[in-house]
Amino acid sequence: MLEVQLMMKDPGTTMTLNFDADQPVVGLKRQQALIEAVLGASNADETRWLEWKSHHDVSKSEGAFAVSKAILGFANRMPDVAAQWAEGHAYLLVGVEEEALQGVTRHDIEKVDAWLGRYIGDFDRYQFTYVPFDNGEGLRHVMLVDVFPPRWGDPVHPLRKEYQNFYAGTVFHRYAGKTQPARAAEIDALTERARRAAKRVNVTVGVAVGAVAVVPPTEDMRTKILDVLRENLLKQLGARRPAKKNTTGAFPYAPAFDVFRALPPTDYRSPYEFREQVEEYLRDFDAAMQQSFVQVVGTTGTPLRLKLTNPGEENLSKVEVVLSLPDTVLAHVTDDEEDVDWPDEPKEYGSAALPVSLSAFPGMAALQAPAFRLPPIDSPDIEHEEDRTIIRFAPVDLRPHETVPLDPITLYSTQEAADSFVGEWRATATNVSGTVRQRLPVPAQHLEVDLHQALLPLLNDDIEA
């Protein structure tokens, strides 16, 4: 929970607004929780994203101006500052203050918008509601105004109608705990915020080549293969064999191993530990089968390759493309040179008489099989979020009118598709604002795959699946 602790007038006292400000205030329960938090707070807890007023009637000029001033102050924040709380949203509560629930008179939305419009003009990135709340003294309604997150490219929002000492054109800004006319530094920042409206990301993404391979499911065959392997390995528990003779020859560490060769033939693993080794081996074997299958799909089918184009006149820095597909489509980084990481079988039960790791001897660690290779640092990142498969491509720089290919991705699905799988891409850049989003149909390609050969390219006569 994001809680803001602020000092009160007494330096030895702190007050905490007991409210989770990580998410926007959506729904009646969250709205009432915010009111309750304000009742238990102090006026020192008002922040850049939250303000409250004990009472104001927006049908009166004084009330309409007070609410409008708060709205404009929140609207004239910088996007990166605002994003620290409630995903950029800001809130004004009218009719409540610390330890006191006053409530407000409710009015029709159309009338309220007209009263506020005299001061805020055509600014409409806000909404308000009346939240019912009972603190034990009877039901009252609190006006809650939600001011939407400011955006890069937004103009400055000035006061549109004079009120008392504030002339039309005054620019209010929300500081920590107060809304007041903006200082020169804030005017400069808001000017820069507005300037970025002219520079928004402008790219296109299309399919250069490739498709989603529609393939038969592999789960049943993989299960059968794993069952056969498990049965064959666990048979060893019923027929324990003596340890094999160690023929180290001129091996430099032969004297050390001679000590263990003199021990009675036994196995340091219990049956339970051997079974655990078998299950770990089978998990790794299943992963290797899936890796082998993906390679067959990648070489038999056509991996997807997107093309990214900058049609504008601006240089674009670090353009990131994110492709979203239905979760029925599986994605893997295409790497034709990667070896399948087939695991080694557990030592035959009854033969593992040396419970000593090779790493216990200097220099021996280099003789162990290397760990599986990690994909290149700039490879696309693949995630699964709810019902979507998300592919994040490595950011690239684009000159004006330049087209570049993105890294290939192997896509496949066991779900039938007539023509295509419909996805969506979005793109952002670091030197301009905005996000581009568009639908992207990816063609479907039906593949005939020999599952036995795809899952077990190194044929094992002992496995019949």
Side-chain angles (χ1 to χ4, degrees), residues 118-429:
R118 292 178 294 177
Y119 299 102
I120 65 177
D122 58 2
F123 177 74
D124 61 358
R125 288 184 49 77
Y126 74 95
Q127 65 181 15
F128 71 91
T129 187
Y130 294 103
V131 182
F133 193 88
D134 188 348
N135 65 342
E137 300 178 358
L139 182 68
R140 292 181 174 86
H141 287 84
V142 173
M143 184 181 188
L144 185 149
V145 184
D146 177 356
V147 182
F148 302 159
R151 304 165 299 186
W152 295 111
D154 281 353
V156 179
H157 301 291
L159 181 66
R160 297 293 176 175
K161 176 181 172 60
E162 180 179 348
Y163 180 80
Q164 294 183 354
N165 295 329
F166 298 106
Y167 57 86
T170 301
V171 176
F172 292 107
H173 179 75
R174 182 64 184 178
Y175 295 93
K178 57 185 176 181
T179 300
Q180 60 184 32
R183 297 186 291 256
E186 280 67 49
I187 294 292
D188 290 341
L190 290 171
T191 302
E192 177 61 24
R193 185 185 78 174
R195 284 181 61 244
R196 291 180 64 170
K199 295 184 178 181
R200 303 184 72 84
V201 62
N202 178 24
V203 296
T204 61
V205 174
V207 176
V209 67
V212 177
V214 179
V215 297
T218 67
E219 185 174 357
D220 288 347
M221 181 169 284
R222 295 194 340 259
T223 299
K224 291 179 182 178
I225 292 173
L226 295 175
D227 287 344
V228 172
L229 288 173
R230 181 182 291 104
E231 181 181 359
N232 289 341
L233 288 169
L234 294 182
K235 284 179 181 178
Q236 299 174 24
L237 292 176
R240 188 161 168 168
R241 300 179 177 88
K244 296 180 180 179
K245 183 178 180 181
N246 192 325
T247 55
T248 55
F251 194 70
Y253 297 101
F257 281 91
D258 286 340
V259 175
F260 295 101
R261 288 207 307 272
L263 295 175
T266 186
D267 197 309
Y268 72 91
R269 299 166 297 180
S270 69
Y272 173 79
E273 291 171 331
F274 179 70
R275 289 190 181 93
E276 287 291 300
Q277 284 189 359
V278 168
E279 292 304 321
E280 181 179 0
Y281 163 72
L282 294 177
R283 286 192 293 270
D284 292 342
F285 195 91
D286 189 32
M289 284 195 292
Q290 295 181 62
Q291 183 184 4
S292 175
F293 179 75
V294 169
Q295 286 194 350
V296 170
V297 172
T299 55
T300 307
T302 309
L304 177 70
R305 189 143 206 169
L306 300 180
K307 56 182 179 182
L308 172 64
T309 301
N310 174 9
E313 303 295 336
E314 295 285 342
N315 285 303
L316 299 178
S317 300
K318 299 189 183 309
V319 179
E320 182 187 60
V321 174
V322 179
L323 177 62
S324 171
L325 293 165
D327 62 354
T328 54
V329 177
L330 301 179
H332 293 271
V333 175
T334 302
D335 187 351
D336 296 334
E337 300 180 357
E338 184 180 9
D339 295 329
V340 177
D341 189 27
W342 294 103
D344 294 328
E345 278 192 14
K347 274 188 172 295
E348 187 176 5
Y349 190 67
S351 66
L354 302 177
V356 179
S357 170
L358 288 176
S359 61
F361 299 92
M364 291 296 289
L367 300 179
Q368 300 185 72
F372 66 89
R373 292 189 301 171
L374 293 173
I377 295 176
D378 59 352
S379 289
D381 180 56
I382 300 170
E383 302 174 356
H384 296 280
E385 300 178 359
E386 296 181 355
D387 59 346
R388 308 296 292 175
T389 295
I390 308 296
I391 305 166
R392 300 177 186 275
F393 293 89
V396 297
D397 295 333
L398 281 175
R399 295 184 178 89
H401 305 290
E402 182 181 17
T403 297
V404 299
L406 300 180
D407 293 327
I409 289 289
T410 298
L411 301 176
Y412 67 96
S413 176
T414 60
Q415 177 175 299
E416 288 291 332
D419 299 311
S420 64
F421 292 84
V422 179
E424 178 190 78
W425 64 266
R426 65 179 186 269
T428 57

Side-chain angles (χ1 to χ4, degrees), residues 47-118:
T47 68
R48 290 180 181 268
W49 67 275
L50 178 63
E51 182 178 357
W52 57 81
K53 298 183 180 297
S54 60
H55 62 278
H56 274 300
D57 186 346
V58 292
S59 67
K60 310 297 183 183
S61 296
E62 179 186 5
F65 171 76
V67 172
S68 298
K69 176 184 173 185
I71 292 174
L72 294 173
F74 286 137
N76 286 324
R77 297 176 300 159
M78 297 302 289
D80 52 347
V81 175
Q84 298 178 59
W85 306 278
E87 296 183 0
H89 290 258
Y91 299 94
L92 169 68
L93 295 174
V94 183
V96 64
E97 61 182 340
E98 52 276 11
E99 299 183 353
L101 180 67
Q102 306 288 343
V104 295
T105 301
R106 289 178 290 170
H107 300 284
D108 292 339
I109 292 178
E110 294 81 3
K111 293 182 178 179
V112 174
D113 284 339
W115 294 329
L116 299 181
R118 292 178 294 177

